[in-house]
């Protein structure tokens, strides 16, 4: 969801059997180390010296963080060289904002470097993966445990999306009144 919405590129993560897409597995594998390195950055150097870091950051067939870096780097390269691609996205992405200069913000309003764009993309992927997954899980739990809410939501989705074989756009889903209704209104 974060990939499609923020970066306008569908890697078909949600269509993978058992949601076991390699990108998801790579994030799950590397995320614990990211948390440790965030709080104890000095650990990185001994891991490199011991040769242990390659297990986490290699670009081997199994993937891992190195593939995530390559994926975001390729997308940044493409958008920096062809910014007109942003016009065909269908909705705003994070790159619409990051690649647009904002001179009124002074130095903070400059277009970030390629390195910073890649790091920003990776931060969004990491931050969005766990939080979106947890939010969806909790939301689904409460919807399934409240028959009235479940019934209203199912009815609205059936009316708006009568043929499940046809994809429904995010824009159309965002316009469904009950689905996007604030919790305080339920």
């Amino acid at each position: 969801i974060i990939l499609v919405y923020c970066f306008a590129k569908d890697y078909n993560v949600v269509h993978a059997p058992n949601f076991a897409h390699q990108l998801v597995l790579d994030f799950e594998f590397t995320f614990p180390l990211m948390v440790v390195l965030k709080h104890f950055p000095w650990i990185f150097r001994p891991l490199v010296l011991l040769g242990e870091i390659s297990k986490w950051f290699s670009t081997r067939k199994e993937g891992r963080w190195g593939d995530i870096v390559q994926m975001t780097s390729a997308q940044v390269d493409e958008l920096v060289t062809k910014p007109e691609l942003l016009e065909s996205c269908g909705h705003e992405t994070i790159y619409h904002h990051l690649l647009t200069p904002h001179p009124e913000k002074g130095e903070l309003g400059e277009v970030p470097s390629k390195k910073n764009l890649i790091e920003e993309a990776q931060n969004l992927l990491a931050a969005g993966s766990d939080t979106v997954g947890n939010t969806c899980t909790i939301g689904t739990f409460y919807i399934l445990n409240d028959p009235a809410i479940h019934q209203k939501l199912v009815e609205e989705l059936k009316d708006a999306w009568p043929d499940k074989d046809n994809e429904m756009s995010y824009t159309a889903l965002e316009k469904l009144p009950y689905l996007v209704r604030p919790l305080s209104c339920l």
Side-chain angles (χ1 to χ4, degrees), residues 9-55:
K9 186 161 183 168
D10 191 353
Y11 294 90
N12 293 312
V13 173
V14 295
H15 299 294
N18 298 317
F19 298 106
H21 190 278
Q22 191 61 50
L23 191 58
V24 174
L25 299 175
D26 291 348
F27 261 94
E28 288 177 355
F29 183 83
T30 58
F31 197 72
L33 181 62
M34 293 294 147
V35 173
V36 171
L37 291 176
K38 170 74 176 160
H39 296 287
F40 306 101
W42 57 268
I43 292 176
F44 185 77
R45 192 139 183 89
L47 288 175
V48 169
L49 293 172
L50 293 171
E52 291 295 311
I53 207 73
S54 64
K55 292 179 186 173

Side-chain angles (χ1 to χ4, degrees), residues 6 17 28 38 54 64 86 97 110 129 145 156 158 161:
C6 285
E28 288 177 355
K38 170 74 176 160
S54 64
R64 308 295 183 233
L86 290 173
H97 299 280
E110 295 175 7
S129 299
N145 281 295
E156 182 179 71
K158 280 183 178 178
W161 194 0

Side-chain angles (χ1 to χ4, degrees), residues 10 15 161 163-169:
D10 191 353
H15 299 294
W161 194 0
D163 185 2
K164 293 186 288 184
D165 293 331
N166 292 330
E167 284 197 27
M168 187 167 190
S169 70

Side-chain angles (χ1 to χ4, degrees), residues 87-179:
E87 302 309 315
S88 63
C89 290
H91 60 80
E92 283 192 350
T93 67
I94 189 64
Y95 294 116
H96 283 86
H97 299 280
L98 293 174
L99 293 173
T100 302
H102 298 279
E104 70 278 6
K105 293 183 178 180
E107 192 176 302
L108 295 175
E110 295 175 7
V111 173
S113 68
K114 178 186 169 187
K115 179 181 181 284
N116 287 347
L117 287 168
I118 293 168
E119 289 172 353
E120 193 67 38
Q122 293 166 4
N123 285 338
L124 284 168
L125 288 170
S129 299
D130 205 38
T131 54
V132 169
N134 290 337
T135 302
C136 289
T137 301
I138 291 168
T140 301
F141 172 82
Y142 282 103
I143 289 168
L144 293 175
N145 281 295
D146 188 320
I149 290 174
H150 181 256
Q151 182 180 357
K152 285 180 189 177
L153 185 58
V154 168
E155 287 172 9
E156 182 179 71
L157 287 169
K158 280 183 178 178
D159 290 342
W161 194 0
D163 185 2
K164 293 186 288 184
D165 293 331
N166 292 330
E167 284 197 27
M168 187 167 190
S169 70
Y170 291 121
T171 306
L173 282 170
E174 289 173 343
K175 292 180 181 174
L176 296 178
Y178 192 75
L179 182 65

